[in-house]
Amino acid sequence: MKKLLSVSLAGVLSLGISMSANAVSEEDAIEYRQAVMEVIAWNFGQMGAMVRGKIRFDAQVFAKRAGNVAFLSLLSLEGFIPGSYEGETDAKPAIEINWDHFNAKMAQFEEESAKLAEVAKTAKTRREVGLQFMKMAKTCKGCHRRYKRR
Amino acid sequence: MKKLLSVSLAGVLSLGISMSANAVSEEDAIEYRQAVMEVIAWNFGQMGAMVRGKIRFDAQVFAKRAGNVAFLSLLSLEGFIPGSYEGETDAKPAIEINWDHFNAKMAQFEEESAKLAEVAKTAKTRREVGLQFMKMAKTCKGCHRRYKRR
């Protein structure tokens, strides 16, 4: 029992070190993930305007933006740290409670945005990217509806 | 001469279309570039803490963060649009006045962060990334000193 305790203690200590290696304040984490979402939204918005025909479709620009979102989709998750769902955030505590479900939703976003980046590489018209853009957009909406305050 | 004028007009019109395709408000552009910088700062800060030995060096995490910064270094430029150097921004109007110099500075940042990402791919200790991290950091500082308000 004594050995078990000492092992646990070592485990806790090493965990402590590894956690402090990534230790950031809740405020910093909130600002970080909001910034990631903001950069995604910028690229998303410009793609959406092309898909809807509001601005001219530029295949090269669209592909670049789709690649940006695919890359950025991988970045926000580390900002969703325990205890960061109060204060200056629209992220609901439900994220922490349903962490696995939230993670799965985020994985869907990553997957669909990667697919969009792939489709966009060879697309020449907005019609060719429209369907996959909508699929990607649905993963945003689906997650926001459940886990975002407004 | 008449032909030259009409060609120029066509040029101006097509430029007009291409510009309106990317038309965004100054406020949106400011928020966008600040968000990009924020995401860079998050990754930069964590790398800096590893380089300085404040947190444990994790080669895999460091390489990921270096790759993030290299990617993100390409994104902020489009947020520096004409007329976006007043109001809620620390970016100085000098950017617009010395656009080519600012661009060159940004290119240096892109280059040095790409080099860091490359070095980080095979580095096993913080000593191996330290020099290139400092080189990259210098490109941030050099540009901020001249073009950022505080």
Side-chain angles (χ1 to χ4, degrees):
Chain A
M1 183 66 184
K2 203 178 173 186
K3 200 184 168 193
L4 201 76
L5 267 177
S6 83
V7 168
S8 296
L9 186 64
V12 169
L13 283 178
S14 74
L15 186 70
I17 291 164
S18 127
M19 282 178 69
S20 82
N22 296 302
V24 285
S25 72
E26 287 80 8
E27 289 73 19
D28 284 350
I30 291 169
E31 277 187 29
Y32 166 74
R33 71 192 184 215
Q34 285 175 346
V36 175
M37 293 297 184
E38 177 102 29
V39 185
I40 289 173
W42 167 279
N43 285 280
F44 180 92
Q46 299 269 325
M47 281 194 286
M50 284 192 206
V51 167
R52 285 178 294 115
K54 297 281 174 192
I55 60 174
R56 186 174 56 85
F57 181 79
D58 182 319
Q60 209 177 342
V61 172
F62 191 95
K64 191 166 169 280
R65 297 205 178 286
N68 290 348
V69 171
F71 189 92
L72 293 157
S73 74
L74 305 166
L75 299 192
S76 73
L77 199 62
E78 67 165 320
F80 291 91
I81 65 171
S84 65
Y85 305 100
E86 302 295 336
E88 296 289 314
T89 177
D90 297 325
K92 292 183 186 174
I95 291 171
E96 209 166 346
I97 299 161
N98 309 301
W99 183 250
D100 289 346
H101 181 260
F102 177 74
N103 249 287
K105 285 284 182 190
M106 198 64 105
Q108 277 176 14
F109 169 47
E110 292 168 13
E111 200 179 310
E112 297 301 341
S113 58
K115 277 185 195 168
L116 179 62
E118 201 51 42
V119 169
K121 272 181 191 168
T122 53
K124 285 181 179 61
T125 67
R126 68 185 172 106
R127 296 180 67 100
E128 292 172 69
V129 293
L131 182 66
Q132 187 53 39
F133 179 80
M134 291 312 293
K135 279 191 186 171
M136 187 265 282
K138 267 189 187 168
T139 66
C140 302
K141 244 190 208 168
C143 203
H144 288 175
R145 195 180 294 128
R146 180 147 173 186
Y147 294 115
K148 193 167 178 260
R149 280 198 181 85
R150 44 172 191 188
Chain B
M1 182 66 184
K2 202 178 173 187
K3 200 184 169 192
L4 200 76
L5 268 177
S6 83
V7 168
S8 296
L9 187 63
V12 169
L13 284 178
S14 75
L15 186 70
I17 291 164
S18 127
M19 282 178 69
S20 81
N22 296 303
V24 285
S25 72
E26 287 79 10
E27 289 73 18
D28 284 349
I30 290 169
E31 278 189 27
Y32 166 74
R33 71 193 184 214
Q34 285 176 344
V36 175
M37 293 297 183
E38 177 103 28
V39 184
I40 289 173
W42 168 278
N43 285 280
F44 180 93
Q46 298 270 324
M47 280 194 287
M50 284 192 206
V51 167
R52 286 177 293 116
K54 298 280 175 191
I55 58 175
R56 187 173 55 85
F57 180 78
D58 181 320
Q60 208 177 342
V61 171
F62 191 95
K64 192 166 168 278
R65 296 204 179 286
N68 290 348
V69 171
F71 189 93
L72 292 157
S73 75
L74 305 166
L75 299 192
S76 74
L77 199 62
E78 67 165 321
F80 291 91
I81 64 171
S84 65
Y85 305 99
E86 303 295 337
E88 296 289 315
T89 177
D90 297 325
K92 290 184 186 172
I95 291 171
E96 208 164 346
I97 298 161
N98 308 302
W99 183 250
D100 289 346
H101 182 261
F102 176 75
N103 249 286
K105 286 283 182 190
M106 198 65 105
Q108 277 176 15
F109 168 47
E110 292 168 14
E111 200 178 311
E112 297 300 340
S113 58
K115 276 185 194 167
L116 180 62
E118 201 52 41
V119 169
K121 273 181 191 168
T122 53
K124 284 181 180 59
T125 67
R126 67 186 173 106
R127 295 180 68 98
E128 291 173 70
V129 294
L131 183 66
Q132 187 54 39
F133 179 80
M134 292 312 292
K135 279 192 186 170
M136 187 265 282
K138 266 189 187 168
T139 66
C140 302
K141 246 191 207 168
C143 203
H144 287 175
R145 196 180 295 127
R146 181 148 173 186
Y147 295 115
K148 192 165 179 261
R149 280 198 181 87
R150 48 176 187 185

